[in-house]
Each structure stands twice: as C-alpha cells, then as structure tokens.
Amino acid sequence: MNSATPQKPPSPWQDIPWEKWNDWRWQLSNRLNTVEDFRDVINLTESEIAGLSAPDHFRVDVTPYFASLMDADDPDCPVRKQIIPTAAELTPFQAEMADSLSEDAHSPVPGLVHRYPDRVLMLVTTQCASYCRYCTRSRIVGDSSATFSRSAHDAQIDYIARTPQVRDVLLSGGDPLTIPQRVLEDLLSRLRAIPHVEIIRIGSRVPVFMPQRVTPDLVEMLRQFHPLWLNVHFNHPKEITPDAAAGLARLADAGIPLGNQSVLLAGVNDCPHIMRELVHKLVMNRVRPYYLYQCDLVHGAGHFRTPVAVGLEIMEALRGHTSGYAVPTYVIDAPGGGGKIPVAPNYLISQSADRVVVRNYEGYMSAYTQPPEYARHDPATCDACRRRRGEAGQEGVSALLDGRQLAIQPEGFHETHQRLTKVDWGEVEEELARAAE
Ligand SMILES: *Cc1c(COP(=O)(O)O)cnc(C)c1O
C-alpha cells in the first residue's frame, strides 16, 4: 500500500465510499460521457462542449478514476486531451482513412488480422474501459451492439489452430481486460491448448484507465497461461499514479513481462523531456518501453499528428542519453497495410570496403575497421538456413540479401518498362533466377 493513497476519493467523488471507488465494477458503471457529467469535474471549453455535443461522435466514456487525473482548469492538460473530444476532432483532414492499416483486408476471419508470417492480432471485443480520441480502430471500437461473439471467437481460434506458422497470438480489441474474466480465461486456455502457439500477448489500457481491475484474482488467472506477455499504453508521466503503479507491480510480480506502447501526440507528449520522464517512470515500474507510434491517419486524430521529425528528435534525445532499456522503437504503421516500419536517426555515416564510419549521440564520429577476411556464413551449408528455405512467401529484403531472389518489383513494373523494344520478360525472369542460384 502506498502511504500517499488517500482514504477518500478525489473531488467531486469525495462522498463515494472508498471501497466503491476501488471497485472496478463501480468505475465501469459510473463512467462519464456527457457535457453534464464532465461539467461537475472540469471547466469545459466551448470546443470541448462542441466535441461532446456533436452527433455521431466517436464514443466518449471515461472512468471516474481517469477523469480525476484531469486538470479542471487547463484545457491543455495531457490527460484531458486524450479522452475529451474537441471541435478539432470533427474536422476531416486530407490524408485520413477509415482503416488506415488495411486490417480488414488482412482478416481471414472477422476480427483476426494475419499481417505478419508468424503472428496474428486477435480482436476479442470492441469495448474499452475508456476511449482514446485518436483510436486507430475507431471504425469498430466503442459500438456496444457490435462486439465479437462466442462464434466469432470460435472462428478466430479455429483459424489459429489450423495455421501452424502462427506462433504468437496478440489479444487486443477493444480491450481484452474488459471482457468477463471467465470468457477471457476460456479464450486463453483454448489458445494455450494449441501446440504451435508459443506465446500469448495481451494489449490493454486497463492498467491506465482502471487499475482497480488488476485484482489479485485476475492476475492469478492470467499467470496460468505463461509464457504470457502484456503491453500497456501510457502516454504521459502523469498517468503513472500510485494506483497504476500498484497494478503494474501485481502483474510484474506474477512474472508477466510488461511492455509499453505510446502514441506520439501533439500537445500531449511531443516533448523530449516529457518522454524521457515517461520512459524512466515506466522502467522504474518494470515496464519496458516497446514502441513509440507515429499517429495513424485516422479520422478524428488530425490535430494529434506531428511531423515525423518530432519523433526523430525524441529518439535522438533518448538513445545514448539514457538506459537502452528505456528506449522504445519509433515506428510508422504504414498506411495500406505495410505494417510497423521502424524509423530512427542515422548512426551509420559512411563506409568504404575497409571501414564504416559511425557517430554516437554526442556527435562523436569514429571508424570501425572491418575484418580483411571473413569465413562467410554460407546459407547453402547451414542447416538452420536449409530448414527455413521454402517457407512463408514473405521473405522480403532478407531474400535479396541471401540470394534467393534478385529483385522485388512493384506491381505493373513490367508493363511500365515495356517501352521501345519488345522485351521477353519471361527470359529476363529466367536470367534473374539463374543468377540467383
Ligand atoms: C502490431 C501488430 C502485430 C505485432 O507486431 P510486433 O511488431 O510483433 O509487436 C501483429 N499483427 C498486427 C496486425 C499488428 O498490427
């Protein structure tokens, strides 16, 4: 127990019994969602009133616990901005898309996204404890009449069971920690029963929005399914309260490795110093910063977007300046379904046949001399390489490097280059294949 924990809920909930405040069921059923609800807690701006009053806005629902972290008088409060809509949310921007990651196109069955060769994303619910205004899945999340049913879960698990290359299943949504515990337990035990499923991961913002839900009982249930990993979603140091820290400690004590995925948000965490404070607090709570996401091209999120340069500047301020454990990977989830692509400052400055020139975070530059002779690793005689051959269909650039393939061509490449002379592309392909042998 943290000695700073008050024995009374914060204002205006001071008359609610402490036991109720600490009960996640009470938190869920007393969420705030209207202008009237929020008026009791903060001084709403015109823009927030417009956002909350707009017809068809993306669902608003905020646990009293998370609402109590808002600054009542500061519309720029980083907590407030993440959960209260403003007029800016209603304005479409030029590049926006409904499904910017093309998840629907990658779904062999509803709610199961199979984008990468060996892992899948399983959307188990459309419900969350509270709703982030910049939600990348706002097209499906929040609708309580359209969540995933038992039969949808059956179809998802059936696909995983008959797809042996899937060794990693990531439960997300919506928020998996909001579904009834026995339903979650049932899903986890059915996944654990599939021999080729090596690891199970849960992505959840419950430890941020409603740490009361991280009960000893929930944690006891989760720990039966090891190796089980959990990624949380903190964006700002203000969210790491004593309550949140206690929830994280229960999870870590149960041997659940914790990661954090932040979204880079204008006016919330687009500052190297705020971000450094966040990652330090995370590491102190045994949470490894995993990804820092560039904000997706999703409706409602336009005013949260930053240039990519802002993210690079943050990465420049982290790498080398602090523990490697505290440095996340900055990624752009590529529009059109390209998946997560890491972007980083350049540390490799130049190279010759003998040397590479690298620079560190201080700008110190030096030459690393490469070995004059190298008994090259030979994929043709390496057993591990031979076992991998012929797998997947998503070998990508690594196939260019080890010689299995000589080129990756954009669609329509042949037609475009059929200019003056009639080229027999079949012959060219054969030649490329011969050269690659
Ligand atoms: C993010 C994501 C994953 C997991 O990616 P990792 O880089 O392994 O964390 C898997 N599938 C989809 C569709 C995703 O968006």
Side-chain angles (χ1 to χ4, degrees):
M1 261 284 139
N2 190 300
S3 56
T5 309
Q7 289 309 299
K8 246 185 186 204
S11 167
W13 295 278
Q14 65 275 12
D15 296 332
I16 303 293
W18 185 236
E19 301 68 47
K20 270 198 176 166
W21 176 262
N22 280 310
D23 182 345
W24 61 271
R25 291 177 193 85
W26 184 89
Q27 288 287 337
L28 268 190
S29 46
N30 286 279
R31 284 182 288 183
L32 293 80
N33 43 57
T34 62
V35 170
E36 290 67 40
D37 292 344
F38 286 107
R39 241 186 208 136
D40 294 337
V41 185
I42 56 172
N43 295 310
L44 288 169
T45 63
E46 285 303 313
S47 177
E48 288 168 328
I49 292 170
L52 287 164
S53 317
D56 302 330
H57 63 62
F58 175 53
R59 180 160 166 194
V60 176
D61 241 343
V62 183
T63 55
Y65 159 80
F66 199 70
S68 77
L69 307 183
M70 293 189 290
D71 186 315
D73 301 310
D74 181 9
D76 288 331
C77 164
V79 169
R80 190 160 155 172
K81 281 187 169 171
Q82 293 183 55
I83 44 164
I84 310 258
T86 60
E89 179 175 310
L90 311 169
T91 319
F93 61 95
Q94 205 204 343
E96 76 175 36
M97 301 154 94
D99 177 14
S100 86
L101 311 180
S102 297
E103 292 188 328
D104 297 344
H106 280 98
S107 297
V109 299
L112 194 88
V113 188
H114 192 177
R115 168 69 189 76
Y116 298 100
D118 69 340
R119 55 206 187 279
V120 293
L121 174 67
M122 180 171 164
L123 307 179
V124 300
T125 177
T126 60
Q127 303 298 295
C128 289
S130 300
Y131 295 90
C132 311
R133 301 324 300 164
Y134 49 86
C135 178
T136 191
R137 279 188 207 110
S138 51
R139 71 185 188 283
I140 52 172
V141 160
D143 185 348
S144 52
S145 68
T147 191
F148 295 97
S149 61
R150 165 99 197 175
S151 64
H153 291 157
D154 290 348
Q156 294 170 334
I157 291 174
D158 181 60
Y159 176 85
I160 294 166
R162 62 189 153 78
T163 312
Q165 72 261 35
V166 175
R167 41 162 293 284
D168 173 0
V169 177
L170 167 48
L171 303 189
S172 182
D175 196 314
L177 296 188
T178 63
I179 68 175
Q181 190 167 317
R182 64 191 153 69
V183 176
L184 182 58
E185 182 167 3
D186 177 61
L187 290 177
L188 291 170
S189 57
R190 287 155 78 196
L191 289 169
R192 228 337 126 233
I194 301 171
H196 56 262
V197 172
E198 295 173 0
I199 63 166
I200 301 174
R201 298 194 247 176
I202 295 175
S204 174
R205 213 179 180 193
V206 158
V208 184
F209 284 144
M210 193 171 62
Q212 298 79 9
R213 178 68 190 96
V214 187
T215 58
D217 187 52
L218 176 72
V219 173
E220 278 308 304
M221 184 277 279
L222 294 174
R223 72 185 304 171
Q224 301 174 85
F225 301 102
H226 278 314
L228 178 83
W229 296 57
L230 188 91
N231 266 338
V232 292
H233 173 180
F234 287 91
N235 287 326
H236 192 279
K238 216 179 150 179
E239 296 162 357
I240 308 183
T241 63
D243 288 332
L248 295 172
R250 282 191 287 277
L251 293 162
D253 286 346
I256 301 172
L258 301 173
N260 184 68
Q261 318 201 127
S262 292
V263 181
L264 179 55
L265 301 168
V268 173
N269 57 13
D270 53 344
C271 159
H273 304 286
I274 290 176
M275 207 52 107
R276 198 179 308 147
E277 188 188 341
L278 173 66
V279 297
H280 285 168
K281 278 196 162 181
L282 288 167
V283 169
M284 280 194 285
N285 285 283
R286 292 179 280 172
V287 182
R288 169 86 160 91
Y290 181 55
Y291 283 141
L292 170 63
Y293 286 98
Q294 176 67 14
C295 190
D296 287 330
L297 297 170
V298 64
H299 177 68
H303 58 297
F304 283 119
R305 301 203 304 130
T306 65
V308 172
V310 172
L312 290 176
E313 193 180 340
I314 288 170
M315 296 309 294
E316 191 75 74
L318 293 178
R319 173 63 65 198
H321 296 271
T322 191
S323 325
Y325 271 138
V327 182
T329 304
Y330 176 39
V331 294
I332 301 178
D333 213 333
K340 299 174 188 71
I341 301 178
V343 280
N346 292 324
Y347 294 98
L348 183 61
I349 299 298
S350 196
Q351 53 190 311
S352 68
D354 309 325
R355 292 185 186 84
V356 295
V357 176
V358 288
R359 63 101 173 166
N360 79 352
Y361 68 102
E362 296 164 290
Y364 172 82
M365 241 194 263
S366 70
Y368 172 86
T369 304
Q370 310 202 64
E373 278 168 73
Y374 166 54
R376 202 186 169 293
H377 164 254
D378 183 1
T381 59
C382 167
D383 282 344
C385 286
R386 266 203 299 253
R387 278 198 301 274
R388 300 294 299 184
R389 295 233 162 197
E391 268 186 30
Q394 290 179 286
E395 296 91 342
V397 176
S398 82
L400 299 186
L401 289 175
D402 78 8
R404 276 173 293 169
Q405 211 176 318
L406 251 171
I408 295 175
Q409 298 142 356
E411 195 187 329
F413 182 83
H414 291 171
E415 293 72 16
T416 309
H417 293 274
Q418 190 90 29
R419 296 204 215 269
L420 294 177
T421 352
K422 188 93 184 124
V423 180
D424 182 342
W425 282 102
E427 266 175 31
V428 176
E429 295 280 352
E430 274 170 34
E431 198 176 339
L432 284 172
R434 268 198 305 280
E437 265 161 24

